[in-house]
Amino acid sequence: MTTLITVAPTGAETAKADCPALPTTLDELVETAKRCEAAGAAMIHIHIRDAEHRPTLDLARLTETVVAVRENSSLIVQLSTGGAVTDPLEHRLRVLDAAPDSCSLTMGTVNFGEDVFMNPWPFVTELYRLTQEREIVPEFELFDLGHVAALNRLLDKFGLPYGGKVHCDLVMGVPGGMPGTTQALVAAVNGLPAAVTSWSATGVGRTTLPVALAALSLGGHLRVGMEDTLTLAKGQPVTHNAELVERAAKLATLAQRPPMTPDEARSLLNTRAA
């Protein structure tokens, strides 16, 4: 068995001024994709920034990014439909117009630090049906146990996603969501629908390593990156996303589940051919 490593290099929360190593330009994202693929990543989860390094859902920039990453790497290109917490729902739906291989699909509203990440049920269902129509594989993002229950409800009502595989990512350790603990991970995995064919876990901040180790022990996959983690250890900042991918690859290899290739990941998720 091998391990899908997804890299989430940028996110929408961290300011470039606070973290100059954060890849926010197209050139930086392309360079990040290439180095992270070499380090063991098979999929990249992308948020983009504007010319002032602010989060944006500009469709032209999104499309340009998808094309550039595809031309310069073999990674599965996954776009975030979460954007920033301030983005209107209709702008988040338009992300699919950039024709990624995959997109994130968060299964419910969650408190996000001092903000609220809005995902009302009508938006979730509209986004899901669009992914089915556009032949884009969703990755269901689950921040809480209520989101696990909502995924059961969604699949019961609207059937399987495009490609027939069901992949989800448990995002843990967000202030307001489920904690990044082994106990929470076990509870979430035990509640997953029978239709789920693969899952990964993301530990935010200091929960990165506990979640990664617990996920590997339970047969899960890993998502890492500067969207979620800015330090390798106390007082040791991340200088490049490849460092986080390399560490994840070492853990996976130690667990005798080495990183899978992008081609193997495409088979796992049943995305369209590259």
Side-chain angles (χ1 to χ4, degrees), residues 96-157:
L96 300 189
D97 293 343
D101 304 306
S102 174
C103 71
S104 61
L105 199 163
T106 303
M107 285 307 305
T109 296
V110 63
N111 287 328
F112 204 100
E114 297 182 1
D115 298 305
V116 179
F117 180 25
M118 296 294 295
N119 294 281
W121 183 249
F123 169 75
V124 170
T125 58
E126 183 178 2
L127 176 55
Y128 185 50
R129 298 185 78 173
L130 281 173
T131 66
Q132 292 171 317
E133 292 171 12
R134 306 282 183 88
E135 300 187 346
I136 296 168
V137 172
E139 177 181 84
F140 300 102
E141 285 194 339
L142 311 175
F143 287 77
D144 221 334
L145 287 181
H147 295 183
V148 177
L151 178 57
N152 280 277
R153 178 186 177 196
L154 185 79
L155 297 175
D156 284 346
K157 186 170 180 61

Side-chain angles (χ1 to χ4, degrees), residues 19-262:
C19 183
L22 196 74
T24 55
T25 69
L26 183 56
D27 287 345
E28 288 170 342
L29 271 175
V30 167
E31 187 271 345
T32 294
K34 292 163 73 172
R35 275 191 60 182
C36 288
E37 181 180 2
M43 180 157 68
I44 185 167
H45 170 83
I46 295 175
H47 290 252
I48 63 166
R49 303 293 180 98
D50 64 17
E52 283 73 46
H53 310 288
R54 297 171 301 197
T56 180
L57 291 177
D58 178 77
L59 182 57
R61 283 181 177 269
L62 283 167
T63 304
E64 182 184 27
T65 302
V66 170
V67 170
V69 173
R70 280 197 183 127
E71 287 178 346
N72 289 277
S73 79
S74 299
L75 296 175
I76 296 173
V77 179
Q78 180 187 97
L79 292 181
S80 169
T81 62
V85 293
T86 52
D87 284 318
L89 298 180
E90 61 270 20
H91 292 183
R92 292 166 58 192
L93 291 173
R94 287 209 310 260
V95 167
L96 300 189
D97 293 343
D101 304 306
S102 174
C103 71
S104 61
L105 199 163
T106 303
M107 285 307 305
T109 296
V110 63
N111 287 328
F112 204 100
E114 297 182 1
D115 298 305
V116 179
F117 180 25
M118 296 294 295
N119 294 281
W121 183 249
F123 169 75
V124 170
T125 58
E126 183 178 2
L127 176 55
Y128 185 50
R129 298 185 78 173
L130 281 173
T131 66
Q132 292 171 317
E133 292 171 12
R134 306 282 183 88
E135 300 187 346
I136 296 168
V137 172
E139 177 181 84
F140 300 102
E141 285 194 339
L142 311 175
F143 287 77
D144 221 334
L145 287 181
H147 295 183
V148 177
L151 178 57
N152 280 277
R153 178 186 177 196
L154 185 79
L155 297 175
D156 284 346
K157 186 170 180 61
F158 296 103
L160 294 175
Y162 168 73
K165 302 290 186 74
V166 181
H167 179 73
C168 54
D169 182 50
L170 303 166
V171 185
M172 312 183 72
V174 170
M178 60 183 158
T181 63
T182 299
Q183 293 89 337
L185 182 64
V186 170
V189 171
N190 284 343
L192 292 175
V196 169
T197 50
S198 60
W199 59 270
S200 61
T202 304
V204 173
R206 67 184 62 184
T207 71
T208 296
L209 281 173
V211 167
L213 293 166
L216 287 169
S217 73
L218 281 172
H221 302 276
L222 304 178
R223 188 184 97 174
V224 298
M226 294 177 72
E227 172 171 348
D228 307 305
T229 307
L230 295 174
T231 58
L232 285 167
K234 187 174 182 180
Q236 185 180 354
V238 176
T239 62
H240 196 285
N241 279 278
E243 295 173 333
L244 294 167
V245 175
E246 287 164 359
R247 183 171 68 178
K250 287 178 182 176
L251 293 176
T253 301
L254 186 63
Q256 300 185 37
R257 292 183 46 206
M260 65 175 58
T261 66

